[in-house]
Amino acid sequence: MPVAAPFKTLALTLTAFLTLCSAGSLANDLSSEALLYRPTDTLSGWRQQLNALQHYSGLECPDTIAGLHRAGVTPDIADTGPGCRYEGDFGEEVVFRQHRATQLIDMQRRFLSNYEESGFIRVKGPSDSITFKTDSMGDLKTLESLWALQGEEKGFTLWISTIENHRTESTRILKAFEELSARIERRQDDDFMFEPNG
């Protein structure tokens, strides 16, 4: 029995509306799948995994880590390597990058030089970091810190911008990314062990 014209029009309108609603919810979804627009394989060197993105170089970026949410990926530039940007609920901003192990000293020197030339004040930061005070708003001060995490095959840098009052957050975040970088190194070693002989 044919469907009456008014019901057919209503069904088509409802279908179009639901399609638009689902597209809008994907645009606001911070998960890996939405960030990559649901590819079948890879996009710009990134592959979707369960709750994470993985770069072809081996860098892994979880959707969430240490209470932070991944907000995007950074370009894979020859001098810096691929990375991911994270944001936290208390205004924390974090960038985690993977480099060749030999690049770490250069990355630290560049960070130190650029911040000193910008007139920022170097302060004592959390363990083994290069830290600058970059902004003051009333009693709150923004601190930006850089850590170099040396692995056997790869090097990693972790940059954190946080309000001084949340300084303990930096230590907690650092520990989580140290564990992540160690896991990436272990996985790359395991992948190498199981590569077929050429």
Side-chain angles (χ1 to χ4, degrees), residues 44 46 55 72-84 95 97-98:
S44 301
W46 293 95
H55 193 258
V73 295
T74 60
D76 180 10
I77 302 169
D79 289 343
T80 57
C84 293
V95 175
R97 283 188 182 271
Q98 179 175 278

Side-chain angles (χ1 to χ4, degrees), residues 123-169:
V123 296
K124 180 170 174 48
S127 62
D128 299 325
S129 67
I130 300 172
T131 300
F132 286 87
K133 182 172 69 173
T134 58
D135 189 23
S136 296
M137 295 179 62
D139 293 335
L140 301 177
K141 297 176 180 62
T142 301
L143 298 180
E144 296 187 32
S145 302
L146 182 80
W147 285 266
L149 310 175
Q150 182 70 58
E152 289 183 21
E153 299 293 327
K154 300 286 185 182
F156 303 88
T157 54
L158 179 67
W159 171 86
I160 299 177
S161 172
T162 186
I163 297 169
E164 189 175 31
N165 292 1
H166 289 98
R167 195 174 182 141
T168 54
E169 287 295 297

Side-chain angles (χ1 to χ4, degrees), residues 16-35:
F17 175 74
L18 291 174
T19 302
L20 284 174
C21 287
S22 64
S25 66
L26 282 177
N28 296 323
D29 185 358
L30 293 179
S31 68
S32 305
E33 202 168 12
L35 283 173

